[in-house]
Amino acid sequence: YNLVVDSGRIRIYVVLGHVLGWLIYYFSLGSVTVRLSNAVIAFLRRIFNHIKINEREVIIVEGLHALNPIITKELPSDRLYKIYINVSSRIYDNGKEIVLNKRNMRFVRRLVRDYNFRGNSVERTFQMWVTVRYGEDTYLFPYRHNADVKINTIHLYETCVLKETAIKLLNEVEKDSAFYKESQRLIRNLERFPGLDKNYIPENSLLREFVKF
């Protein structure tokens, strides 16, 4: 610190000013800076942390980008097994018209799950669905053919179980909403299915992820 000296004497108020300034900095901006630096360092350590596995261990990488070649190009192809998991079937009526397509069924799942376990409104789920679809179209679907195996997650009875909650939520969409027309279309199609009590879902079924007991 630069101290002002007058004829060999240090002005006491200058010293006090420097001390006060240092204390204010240390307990405000300085403290915030230290905490922010520690958070950044901890984050970087997690990103660049090296994981070592032996020949009998497995690493599972799950998510939207898991099939992207950018993620796997540095890894030996003979050590990779890529799995694509999604709803891969549509539901048709007797006239071979589509009642619910693949995305419809996945949306109904998300609608019921996010209401039951995340507290999201139907409007919020519709809004998020726009982003979800964009992410799939951009980062997932172009690479699904890279998978070694594809698993169809449809449960043929799932719509019968989910319809009651889904219709109740879809009826909450206001007429002036951008999603009103789509919500009404889904309601009409869901009403074509018979209802099924959720207690018929097997205890080991992944469908329980979407239903609240």
Side-chain angles (χ1 to χ4, degrees):
Y1 294 94
N2 295 322
L3 301 180
V4 179
V5 179
D6 183 10
S7 301
R9 298 188 300 274
I10 300 176
R11 296 177 183 176
I12 187 64
Y13 64 85
V14 175
V15 176
L16 292 176
H18 279 284
V19 172
L20 180 61
W22 182 85
L23 289 174
I24 292 174
Y25 173 81
Y26 180 81
F27 288 106
S28 57
L29 181 61
S31 179
V32 172
T33 302
V34 170
R35 291 199 297 270
L36 180 60
S37 299
N38 289 338
V40 171
I41 292 172
F43 176 73
L44 292 175
R45 283 177 175 172
R46 289 197 298 270
I47 292 178
F48 296 104
N49 184 35
H50 292 280
I51 300 175
K52 294 183 179 180
I53 63 172
N54 61 42
E55 293 183 355
R56 295 184 177 275
E57 291 181 322
V58 175
I59 294 179
I60 299 176
V61 179
E62 182 272 340
L64 187 66
H65 303 282
L67 295 178
N68 194 319
I70 295 177
I71 305 297
T72 58
K73 65 180 180 180
E74 301 297 333
L75 302 174
S77 58
D78 61 331
R79 299 291 185 90
L80 300 177
Y81 193 71
K82 302 175 184 179
I83 305 173
Y84 176 74
I85 303 175
N86 203 353
V87 176
S88 303
S89 300
R90 304 175 181 87
I91 297 180
Y92 297 86
D93 61 16
N94 291 333
K96 302 301 180 182
E97 294 291 330
I98 297 176
V99 180
L100 292 176
N101 61 34
K102 293 176 280 188
R103 271 184 163 161
N104 292 155
M105 287 187 284
R106 290 179 45 245
F107 175 78
V108 170
R109 287 180 178 179
R110 178 180 288 264
L111 176 66
V112 174
R113 181 200 64 187
D114 286 6
Y115 170 76
N116 283 332
F117 301 107
R118 301 183 181 180
N120 288 348
S121 67
V122 59
E123 284 279 348
R124 176 59 178 159
T125 302
F126 266 119
Q127 292 166 358
M128 292 176 62
W129 189 241
V130 176
T131 304
V132 169
R133 292 178 59 179
Y134 172 80
E136 293 175 339
D137 291 337
T138 307
Y139 304 112
L140 176 61
F141 293 155
Y143 308 111
R144 58 186 169 183
H145 301 297
N146 294 335
D148 297 298
V149 64
K150 297 178 182 179
I151 298 176
N152 185 359
T153 64
I154 189 174
H155 296 69
L156 294 179
Y157 62 91
E158 67 179 84
T159 307
C160 301
V161 176
L162 301 176
K163 63 166 286 188
E164 181 178 350
T165 302
I167 290 175
K168 181 186 73 172
L169 294 171
L170 291 167
N171 274 319
E172 295 177 2
V173 179
E174 301 290 342
K175 289 186 177 181
D176 59 352
S177 169
F179 308 110
Y180 180 76
K181 184 177 180 180
E182 176 64 9
S183 67
Q184 292 302 303
R185 185 188 70 82
L186 286 172
I187 289 173
R188 289 193 300 271
N189 289 342
L190 288 171
E191 286 177 338
R192 300 174 65 178
F193 292 83
L196 182 65
D197 192 289
K198 62 186 178 183
N199 291 308
Y200 284 106
I201 302 176
E203 292 187 1
N204 61 348
S205 173
L206 290 177
L207 191 57
R208 286 179 173 252
E209 175 186 343
F210 307 97
V211 180
K212 192 171 185 178
F213 284 85

PDB file of all heavy atoms in Angstrom, residues 79-109:
ATOM      1  N   ARG A  79     -14.480 -51.983 -28.264  1.00  0.00           N
ATOM      2  CA  ARG A  79     -14.789 -51.946 -26.829  1.00  0.00           C
ATOM      3  C   ARG A  79     -16.110 -51.237 -26.556  1.00  0.00           C
ATOM      4  O   ARG A  79     -16.470 -51.051 -25.394  1.00  0.00           O
ATOM      5  CB  ARG A  79     -13.662 -51.213 -26.080  1.00  0.00           C
ATOM      6  CG  ARG A  79     -12.293 -51.858 -26.199  1.00  0.00           C
ATOM      7  CD  ARG A  79     -12.220 -53.171 -25.469  1.00  0.00           C
ATOM      8  NE  ARG A  79     -10.891 -53.725 -25.473  1.00  0.00           N
ATOM      9  CZ  ARG A  79      -9.963 -53.486 -24.555  1.00  0.00           C
ATOM     10  NH1 ARG A  79     -10.238 -52.678 -23.547  1.00  0.00           N
ATOM     11  NH2 ARG A  79      -8.770 -54.034 -24.638  1.00  0.00           N
ATOM     12  N   LEU A  80     -16.812 -50.828 -27.614  1.00  0.00           N
ATOM     13  CA  LEU A  80     -18.048 -50.075 -27.447  1.00  0.00           C
ATOM     14  C   LEU A  80     -19.260 -50.922 -27.809  1.00  0.00           C
ATOM     15  O   LEU A  80     -19.208 -51.725 -28.729  1.00  0.00           O
ATOM     16  CB  LEU A  80     -18.037 -48.830 -28.344  1.00  0.00           C
ATOM     17  CG  LEU A  80     -16.923 -47.807 -28.109  1.00  0.00           C
ATOM     18  CD1 LEU A  80     -17.028 -46.694 -29.142  1.00  0.00           C
ATOM     19  CD2 LEU A  80     -16.984 -47.240 -26.708  1.00  0.00           C
ATOM     20  N   TYR A  81     -20.341 -50.713 -27.085  1.00  0.00           N
ATOM     21  CA  TYR A  81     -21.617 -51.338 -27.422  1.00  0.00           C
ATOM     22  C   TYR A  81     -22.688 -50.260 -27.256  1.00  0.00           C
ATOM     23  O   TYR A  81     -22.998 -49.835 -26.138  1.00  0.00           O
ATOM     24  CB  TYR A  81     -21.918 -52.527 -26.521  1.00  0.00           C
ATOM     25  CG  TYR A  81     -23.054 -53.385 -27.025  1.00  0.00           C
ATOM     26  CD1 TYR A  81     -22.895 -54.174 -28.158  1.00  0.00           C
ATOM     27  CD2 TYR A  81     -24.287 -53.399 -26.377  1.00  0.00           C
ATOM     28  CE1 TYR A  81     -23.933 -54.958 -28.637  1.00  0.00           C
ATOM     29  CE2 TYR A  81     -25.326 -54.185 -26.840  1.00  0.00           C
ATOM     30  CZ  TYR A  81     -25.143 -54.958 -27.981  1.00  0.00           C
ATOM     31  OH  TYR A  81     -26.176 -55.729 -28.463  1.00  0.00           O
ATOM     32  N   LYS A  82     -23.239 -49.801 -28.373  1.00  0.00           N
ATOM     33  CA  LYS A  82     -24.136 -48.656 -28.375  1.00  0.00           C
ATOM     34  C   LYS A  82     -25.593 -49.117 -28.413  1.00  0.00           C
ATOM     35  O   LYS A  82     -25.961 -49.942 -29.244  1.00  0.00           O
ATOM     36  CB  LYS A  82     -23.841 -47.761 -29.573  1.00  0.00           C
ATOM     37  CG  LYS A  82     -22.397 -47.263 -29.613  1.00  0.00           C
ATOM     38  CD  LYS A  82     -22.118 -46.481 -30.876  1.00  0.00           C
ATOM     39  CE  LYS A  82     -20.662 -46.069 -30.960  1.00  0.00           C
ATOM     40  NZ  LYS A  82     -20.361 -45.321 -32.218  1.00  0.00           N
ATOM     41  N   ILE A  83     -26.382 -48.555 -27.518  1.00  0.00           N
ATOM     42  CA  ILE A  83     -27.782 -48.948 -27.382  1.00  0.00           C
ATOM     43  C   ILE A  83     -28.670 -47.717 -27.559  1.00  0.00           C
ATOM     44  O   ILE A  83     -28.464 -46.693 -26.903  1.00  0.00           O
ATOM     45  CB  ILE A  83     -28.057 -49.587 -26.007  1.00  0.00           C
ATOM     46  CG1 ILE A  83     -27.112 -50.774 -25.771  1.00  0.00           C
ATOM     47  CG2 ILE A  83     -29.510 -50.027 -25.904  1.00  0.00           C
ATOM     48  CD1 ILE A  83     -27.212 -51.355 -24.379  1.00  0.00           C
ATOM     49  N   TYR A  84     -29.638 -47.827 -28.454  1.00  0.00           N
ATOM     50  CA  TYR A  84     -30.612 -46.759 -28.666  1.00  0.00           C
ATOM     51  C   TYR A  84     -31.938 -47.193 -28.060  1.00  0.00           C
ATOM     52  O   TYR A  84     -32.511 -48.208 -28.458  1.00  0.00           O
ATOM     53  CB  TYR A  84     -30.769 -46.483 -30.159  1.00  0.00           C
ATOM     54  CG  TYR A  84     -31.825 -45.465 -30.500  1.00  0.00           C
ATOM     55  CD1 TYR A  84     -31.608 -44.109 -30.266  1.00  0.00           C
ATOM     56  CD2 TYR A  84     -33.039 -45.852 -31.067  1.00  0.00           C
ATOM     57  CE1 TYR A  84     -32.567 -43.166 -30.592  1.00  0.00           C
ATOM     58  CE2 TYR A  84     -34.001 -44.923 -31.396  1.00  0.00           C
ATOM     59  CZ  TYR A  84     -33.766 -43.573 -31.159  1.00  0.00           C
ATOM     60  OH  TYR A  84     -34.720 -42.647 -31.476  1.00  0.00           O
ATOM     61  N   ILE A  85     -32.430 -46.424 -27.092  1.00  0.00           N
ATOM     62  CA  ILE A  85     -33.648 -46.782 -26.365  1.00  0.00           C
ATOM     63  C   ILE A  85     -34.684 -45.690 -26.585  1.00  0.00           C
ATOM     64  O   ILE A  85     -34.448 -44.524 -26.254  1.00  0.00           O
ATOM     65  CB  ILE A  85     -33.364 -46.961 -24.864  1.00  0.00           C
ATOM     66  CG1 ILE A  85     -32.279 -48.016 -24.649  1.00  0.00           C
ATOM     67  CG2 ILE A  85     -34.632 -47.322 -24.113  1.00  0.00           C
ATOM     68  CD1 ILE A  85     -31.852 -48.157 -23.205  1.00  0.00           C
ATOM     69  N   ASN A  86     -35.829 -46.062 -27.129  1.00  0.00           N
ATOM     70  CA  ASN A  86     -36.857 -45.060 -27.408  1.00  0.00           C
ATOM     71  C   ASN A  86     -38.168 -45.774 -27.746  1.00  0.00           C
ATOM     72  O   ASN A  86     -38.187 -46.977 -27.985  1.00  0.00           O
ATOM     73  CB  ASN A  86     -36.430 -44.180 -28.586  1.00  0.00           C
ATOM     74  CG  ASN A  86     -37.122 -42.829 -28.564  1.00  0.00           C
ATOM     75  OD1 ASN A  86     -38.006 -42.569 -27.761  1.00  0.00           O
ATOM     76  ND2 ASN A  86     -36.712 -41.952 -29.476  1.00  0.00           N
ATOM     77  N   VAL A  87     -39.266 -44.999 -27.750  1.00  0.00           N
ATOM     78  CA  VAL A  87     -40.529 -45.529 -28.264  1.00  0.00           C
ATOM     79  C   VAL A  87     -40.404 -45.626 -29.784  1.00  0.00           C
ATOM     80  O   VAL A  87     -40.120 -44.638 -30.452  1.00  0.00           O
ATOM     81  CB  VAL A  87     -41.710 -44.619 -27.897  1.00  0.00           C
ATOM     82  CG1 VAL A  87     -42.990 -45.140 -28.534  1.00  0.00           C
ATOM     83  CG2 VAL A  87     -41.868 -44.538 -26.387  1.00  0.00           C
ATOM     84  N   SER A  88     -40.585 -46.823 -30.311  1.00  0.00           N
ATOM     85  CA  SER A  88     -40.377 -47.038 -31.748  1.00  0.00           C
ATOM     86  C   SER A  88     -41.612 -47.559 -32.457  1.00  0.00           C
ATOM     87  O   SER A  88     -41.525 -48.097 -33.558  1.00  0.00           O
ATOM     88  CB  SER A  88     -39.203 -48.016 -31.956  1.00  0.00           C
ATOM     89  OG  SER A  88     -38.026 -47.528 -31.345  1.00  0.00           O
ATOM     90  N   SER A  89     -42.773 -47.429 -31.833  1.00  0.00           N
ATOM     91  CA  SER A  89     -44.022 -47.910 -32.436  1.00  0.00           C
ATOM     92  C   SER A  89     -45.096 -46.841 -32.344  1.00  0.00           C
ATOM     93  O   SER A  89     -45.124 -46.046 -31.401  1.00  0.00           O
ATOM     94  CB  SER A  89     -44.507 -49.184 -31.736  1.00  0.00           C
ATOM     95  OG  SER A  89     -43.553 -50.216 -31.845  1.00  0.00           O
ATOM     96  N   ARG A  90     -45.979 -46.840 -33.303  1.00  0.00           N
ATOM     97  CA  ARG A  90     -47.155 -45.986 -33.283  1.00  0.00           C
ATOM     98  C   ARG A  90     -48.379 -46.831 -32.933  1.00  0.00           C
ATOM     99  O   ARG A  90     -48.352 -48.046 -33.066  1.00  0.00           O
ATOM    100  CB  ARG A  90     -47.362 -45.322 -34.653  1.00  0.00           C
ATOM    101  CG  ARG A  90     -46.173 -44.529 -35.148  1.00  0.00           C
ATOM    102  CD  ARG A  90     -46.424 -44.022 -36.564  1.00  0.00           C
ATOM    103  NE  ARG A  90     -45.291 -43.277 -37.091  1.00  0.00           N
ATOM    104  CZ  ARG A  90     -44.254 -43.832 -37.717  1.00  0.00           C
ATOM    105  NH1 ARG A  90     -44.220 -45.151 -37.914  1.00  0.00           N
ATOM    106  NH2 ARG A  90     -43.260 -43.087 -38.167  1.00  0.00           N
ATOM    107  N   ILE A  91     -49.429 -46.174 -32.524  1.00  0.00           N
ATOM    108  CA  ILE A  91     -50.687 -46.878 -32.245  1.00  0.00           C
ATOM    109  C   ILE A  91     -51.696 -46.491 -33.322  1.00  0.00           C
ATOM    110  O   ILE A  91     -51.972 -45.309 -33.540  1.00  0.00           O
ATOM    111  CB  ILE A  91     -51.229 -46.528 -30.847  1.00  0.00           C
ATOM    112  CG1 ILE A  91     -50.244 -46.993 -29.774  1.00  0.00           C
ATOM    113  CG2 ILE A  91     -52.601 -47.168 -30.633  1.00  0.00           C
ATOM    114  CD1 ILE A  91     -50.696 -46.699 -28.359  1.00  0.00           C
ATOM    115  N   TYR A  92     -52.239 -47.516 -34.001  1.00  0.00           N
ATOM    116  CA  TYR A  92     -53.183 -47.303 -35.100  1.00  0.00           C
ATOM    117  C   TYR A  92     -54.578 -47.761 -34.678  1.00  0.00           C
ATOM    118  O   TYR A  92     -54.730 -48.606 -33.785  1.00  0.00           O
ATOM    119  CB  TYR A  92     -52.762 -48.110 -36.331  1.00  0.00           C
ATOM    120  CG  TYR A  92     -51.419 -47.718 -36.908  1.00  0.00           C
ATOM    121  CD1 TYR A  92     -50.245 -48.267 -36.405  1.00  0.00           C
ATOM    122  CD2 TYR A  92     -51.330 -46.826 -37.976  1.00  0.00           C
ATOM    123  CE1 TYR A  92     -49.002 -47.923 -36.945  1.00  0.00           C
ATOM    124  CE2 TYR A  92     -50.096 -46.483 -38.523  1.00  0.00           C
ATOM    125  CZ  TYR A  92     -48.945 -47.028 -37.997  1.00  0.00           C
ATOM    126  OH  TYR A  92     -47.722 -46.696 -38.528  1.00  0.00           O
ATOM    127  N   ASP A  93     -55.584 -47.224 -35.345  1.00  0.00           N
ATOM    128  CA  ASP A  93     -56.938 -47.737 -35.147  1.00  0.00           C
ATOM    129  C   ASP A  93     -57.206 -48.820 -36.191  1.00  0.00           C
ATOM    130  O   ASP A  93     -56.316 -49.190 -36.971  1.00  0.00           O
ATOM    131  CB  ASP A  93     -57.976 -46.616 -35.224  1.00  0.00           C
ATOM    132  CG  ASP A  93     -57.983 -45.910 -36.582  1.00  0.00           C
ATOM    133  OD1 ASP A  93     -57.409 -46.469 -37.548  1.00  0.00           O
ATOM    134  OD2 ASP A  93     -58.554 -44.811 -36.679  1.00  0.00           O
ATOM    135  N   ASN A  94     -58.415 -49.337 -36.214  1.00  0.00           N
ATOM    136  CA  ASN A  94     -58.743 -50.426 -37.138  1.00  0.00           C
ATOM    137  C   ASN A  94     -58.657 -50.008 -38.600  1.00  0.00           C
ATOM    138  O   ASN A  94     -58.496 -50.843 -39.490  1.00  0.00           O
ATOM    139  CB  ASN A  94     -60.145 -50.975 -36.834  1.00  0.00           C
ATOM    140  CG  ASN A  94     -60.191 -51.707 -35.504  1.00  0.00           C
ATOM    141  OD1 ASN A  94     -59.175 -52.231 -35.052  1.00  0.00           O
ATOM    142  ND2 ASN A  94     -61.354 -51.737 -34.879  1.00  0.00           N
ATOM    143  N   GLY A  95     -58.777 -48.719 -38.833  1.00  0.00           N
ATOM    144  CA  GLY A  95     -58.680 -48.222 -40.200  1.00  0.00           C
ATOM    145  C   GLY A  95     -57.262 -47.865 -40.593  1.00  0.00           C
ATOM    146  O   GLY A  95     -57.050 -47.230 -41.627  1.00  0.00           O
ATOM    147  N   LYS A  96     -56.327 -48.260 -39.772  1.00  0.00           N
ATOM    148  CA  LYS A  96     -54.905 -48.032 -40.019  1.00  0.00           C
ATOM    149  C   LYS A  96     -54.518 -46.545 -39.962  1.00  0.00           C
ATOM    150  O   LYS A  96     -53.500 -46.134 -40.511  1.00  0.00           O
ATOM    151  CB  LYS A  96     -54.482 -48.612 -41.374  1.00  0.00           C
ATOM    152  CG  LYS A  96     -54.750 -50.110 -41.510  1.00  0.00           C
ATOM    153  CD  LYS A  96     -54.028 -50.904 -40.439  1.00  0.00           C
ATOM    154  CE  LYS A  96     -54.292 -52.397 -40.588  1.00  0.00           C
ATOM    155  NZ  LYS A  96     -53.625 -53.190 -39.518  1.00  0.00           N
ATOM    156  N   GLU A  97     -55.352 -45.752 -39.282  1.00  0.00           N
ATOM    157  CA  GLU A  97     -55.011 -44.353 -39.058  1.00  0.00           C
ATOM    158  C   GLU A  97     -54.238 -44.234 -37.744  1.00  0.00           C
ATOM    159  O   GLU A  97     -54.530 -44.937 -36.773  1.00  0.00           O
ATOM    160  CB  GLU A  97     -56.276 -43.494 -38.992  1.00  0.00           C
ATOM    161  CG  GLU A  97     -57.043 -43.410 -40.301  1.00  0.00           C
ATOM    162  CD  GLU A  97     -56.288 -42.606 -41.349  1.00  0.00           C
ATOM    163  OE1 GLU A  97     -55.529 -41.696 -40.967  1.00  0.00           O
ATOM    164  OE2 GLU A  97     -56.468 -42.900 -42.554  1.00  0.00           O
ATOM    165  N   ILE A  98     -53.257 -43.354 -37.725  1.00  0.00           N
ATOM    166  CA  ILE A  98     -52.457 -43.184 -36.513  1.00  0.00           C
ATOM    167  C   ILE A  98     -53.282 -42.464 -35.448  1.00  0.00           C
ATOM    168  O   ILE A  98     -53.794 -41.370 -35.681  1.00  0.00           O
ATOM    169  CB  ILE A  98     -51.175 -42.380 -36.814  1.00  0.00           C
ATOM    170  CG1 ILE A  98     -50.283 -43.156 -37.797  1.00  0.00           C
ATOM    171  CG2 ILE A  98     -50.410 -42.093 -35.525  1.00  0.00           C
ATOM    172  CD1 ILE A  98     -49.044 -42.381 -38.225  1.00  0.00           C
ATOM    173  N   VAL A  99     -53.411 -43.089 -34.291  1.00  0.00           N
ATOM    174  CA  VAL A  99     -54.094 -42.471 -33.160  1.00  0.00           C
ATOM    175  C   VAL A  99     -53.082 -41.695 -32.317  1.00  0.00           C
ATOM    176  O   VAL A  99     -53.304 -40.540 -31.947  1.00  0.00           O
ATOM    177  CB  VAL A  99     -54.811 -43.535 -32.305  1.00  0.00           C
ATOM    178  CG1 VAL A  99     -55.526 -42.863 -31.126  1.00  0.00           C
ATOM    179  CG2 VAL A  99     -55.801 -44.322 -33.145  1.00  0.00           C
ATOM    180  N   LEU A 100     -51.982 -42.343 -31.982  1.00  0.00           N
ATOM    181  CA  LEU A 100     -50.890 -41.695 -31.257  1.00  0.00           C
ATOM    182  C   LEU A 100     -49.578 -42.077 -31.940  1.00  0.00           C
ATOM    183  O   LEU A 100     -49.304 -43.262 -32.134  1.00  0.00           O
ATOM    184  CB  LEU A 100     -50.849 -42.137 -29.793  1.00  0.00           C
ATOM    185  CG  LEU A 100     -52.002 -41.684 -28.887  1.00  0.00           C
ATOM    186  CD1 LEU A 100     -51.848 -42.305 -27.509  1.00  0.00           C
ATOM    187  CD2 LEU A 100     -52.069 -40.164 -28.785  1.00  0.00           C
ATOM    188  N   ASN A 101     -48.789 -41.087 -32.298  1.00  0.00           N
ATOM    189  CA  ASN A 101     -47.483 -41.410 -32.856  1.00  0.00           C
ATOM    190  C   ASN A 101     -46.455 -41.543 -31.738  1.00  0.00           C
ATOM    191  O   ASN A 101     -46.781 -41.413 -30.550  1.00  0.00           O
ATOM    192  CB  ASN A 101     -47.049 -40.363 -33.896  1.00  0.00           C
ATOM    193  CG  ASN A 101     -46.923 -38.966 -33.306  1.00  0.00           C
ATOM    194  OD1 ASN A 101     -46.544 -38.784 -32.151  1.00  0.00           O
ATOM    195  ND2 ASN A 101     -47.244 -37.959 -34.107  1.00  0.00           N
ATOM    196  N   LYS A 102     -45.226 -41.790 -32.105  1.00  0.00           N
ATOM    197  CA  LYS A 102     -44.190 -42.062 -31.101  1.00  0.00           C
ATOM    198  C   LYS A 102     -43.969 -40.881 -30.164  1.00  0.00           C
ATOM    199  O   LYS A 102     -43.831 -41.042 -28.952  1.00  0.00           O
ATOM    200  CB  LYS A 102     -42.891 -42.457 -31.808  1.00  0.00           C
ATOM    201  CG  LYS A 102     -42.974 -43.781 -32.544  1.00  0.00           C
ATOM    202  CD  LYS A 102     -41.707 -44.087 -33.309  1.00  0.00           C
ATOM    203  CE  LYS A 102     -41.643 -43.345 -34.613  1.00  0.00           C
ATOM    204  NZ  LYS A 102     -40.500 -43.792 -35.452  1.00  0.00           N
ATOM    205  N   ARG A 103     -43.943 -39.701 -30.736  1.00  0.00           N
ATOM    206  CA  ARG A 103     -43.723 -38.517 -29.912  1.00  0.00           C
ATOM    207  C   ARG A 103     -44.927 -38.203 -29.032  1.00  0.00           C
ATOM    208  O   ARG A 103     -44.778 -37.714 -27.915  1.00  0.00           O
ATOM    209  CB  ARG A 103     -43.377 -37.324 -30.797  1.00  0.00           C
ATOM    210  CG  ARG A 103     -41.878 -37.219 -31.050  1.00  0.00           C
ATOM    211  CD  ARG A 103     -41.520 -35.992 -31.831  1.00  0.00           C
ATOM    212  NE  ARG A 103     -40.097 -35.708 -31.704  1.00  0.00           N
ATOM    213  CZ  ARG A 103     -39.415 -34.926 -32.537  1.00  0.00           C
ATOM    214  NH1 ARG A 103     -40.039 -34.356 -33.549  1.00  0.00           N
ATOM    215  NH2 ARG A 103     -38.128 -34.703 -32.343  1.00  0.00           N
ATOM    216  N   ASN A 104     -46.131 -38.489 -29.527  1.00  0.00           N
ATOM    217  CA  ASN A 104     -47.322 -38.306 -28.702  1.00  0.00           C
ATOM    218  C   ASN A 104     -47.232 -39.135 -27.430  1.00  0.00           C
ATOM    219  O   ASN A 104     -47.527 -38.647 -26.329  1.00  0.00           O
ATOM    220  CB  ASN A 104     -48.577 -38.705 -29.475  1.00  0.00           C
ATOM    221  CG  ASN A 104     -48.898 -37.785 -30.632  1.00  0.00           C
ATOM    222  OD1 ASN A 104     -49.560 -38.197 -31.587  1.00  0.00           O
ATOM    223  ND2 ASN A 104     -48.440 -36.535 -30.591  1.00  0.00           N
ATOM    224  N   MET A 105     -46.849 -40.384 -27.573  1.00  0.00           N
ATOM    225  CA  MET A 105     -46.777 -41.273 -26.409  1.00  0.00           C
ATOM    226  C   MET A 105     -45.702 -40.827 -25.432  1.00  0.00           C
ATOM    227  O   MET A 105     -45.881 -40.874 -24.219  1.00  0.00           O
ATOM    228  CB  MET A 105     -46.548 -42.711 -26.870  1.00  0.00           C
ATOM    229  CG  MET A 105     -47.790 -43.334 -27.499  1.00  0.00           C
ATOM    230  SD  MET A 105     -47.582 -45.081 -27.868  1.00  0.00           S
ATOM    231  CE  MET A 105     -46.570 -44.972 -29.334  1.00  0.00           C
ATOM    232  N   ARG A 106     -44.591 -40.377 -25.966  1.00  0.00           N
ATOM    233  CA  ARG A 106     -43.525 -39.896 -25.089  1.00  0.00           C
ATOM    234  C   ARG A 106     -43.921 -38.605 -24.389  1.00  0.00           C
ATOM    235  O   ARG A 106     -43.571 -38.364 -23.237  1.00  0.00           O
ATOM    236  CB  ARG A 106     -42.233 -39.718 -25.881  1.00  0.00           C
ATOM    237  CG  ARG A 106     -41.627 -41.050 -26.320  1.00  0.00           C
ATOM    238  CD  ARG A 106     -40.366 -40.894 -27.136  1.00  0.00           C
ATOM    239  NE  ARG A 106     -39.467 -39.922 -26.544  1.00  0.00           N
ATOM    240  CZ  ARG A 106     -39.132 -38.762 -27.127  1.00  0.00           C
ATOM    241  NH1 ARG A 106     -39.618 -38.445 -28.300  1.00  0.00           N
ATOM    242  NH2 ARG A 106     -38.311 -37.939 -26.532  1.00  0.00           N
ATOM    243  N   PHE A 107     -44.671 -37.762 -25.094  1.00  0.00           N
ATOM    244  CA  PHE A 107     -45.144 -36.528 -24.458  1.00  0.00           C
ATOM    245  C   PHE A 107     -46.104 -36.841 -23.318  1.00  0.00           C
ATOM    246  O   PHE A 107     -46.041 -36.210 -22.253  1.00  0.00           O
ATOM    247  CB  PHE A 107     -45.822 -35.617 -25.479  1.00  0.00           C
ATOM    248  CG  PHE A 107     -46.420 -34.389 -24.852  1.00  0.00           C
ATOM    249  CD1 PHE A 107     -45.619 -33.319 -24.503  1.00  0.00           C
ATOM    250  CD2 PHE A 107     -47.779 -34.322 -24.576  1.00  0.00           C
ATOM    251  CE1 PHE A 107     -46.159 -32.189 -23.896  1.00  0.00           C
ATOM    252  CE2 PHE A 107     -48.325 -33.205 -23.977  1.00  0.00           C
ATOM    253  CZ  PHE A 107     -47.514 -32.129 -23.638  1.00  0.00           C
ATOM    254  N   VAL A 108     -47.015 -37.785 -23.532  1.00  0.00           N
ATOM    255  CA  VAL A 108     -47.957 -38.160 -22.480  1.00  0.00           C
ATOM    256  C   VAL A 108     -47.198 -38.692 -21.269  1.00  0.00           C
ATOM    257  O   VAL A 108     -47.520 -38.366 -20.121  1.00  0.00           O
ATOM    258  CB  VAL A 108     -48.969 -39.203 -23.003  1.00  0.00           C
ATOM    259  CG1 VAL A 108     -49.803 -39.778 -21.862  1.00  0.00           C
ATOM    260  CG2 VAL A 108     -49.885 -38.564 -24.043  1.00  0.00           C
ATOM    261  N   ARG A 109     -46.191 -39.501 -21.500  1.00  0.00           N
ATOM    262  CA  ARG A 109     -45.348 -39.983 -20.390  1.00  0.00           C
ATOM    263  C   ARG A 109     -44.765 -38.808 -19.610  1.00  0.00           C
ATOM    264  O   ARG A 109     -44.834 -38.756 -18.380  1.00  0.00           O
ATOM    265  CB  ARG A 109     -44.201 -40.840 -20.928  1.00  0.00           C
ATOM    266  CG  ARG A 109     -44.553 -42.208 -21.436  1.00  0.00           C
ATOM    267  CD  ARG A 109     -43.282 -42.879 -21.913  1.00  0.00           C
ATOM    268  NE  ARG A 109     -43.481 -44.243 -22.396  1.00  0.00           N
ATOM    269  CZ  ARG A 109     -42.508 -45.001 -22.868  1.00  0.00           C
ATOM    270  NH1 ARG A 109     -41.271 -44.524 -22.916  1.00  0.00           N
ATOM    271  NH2 ARG A 109     -42.758 -46.233 -23.287  1.00  0.00           N
TER     272      ARG A 109
END
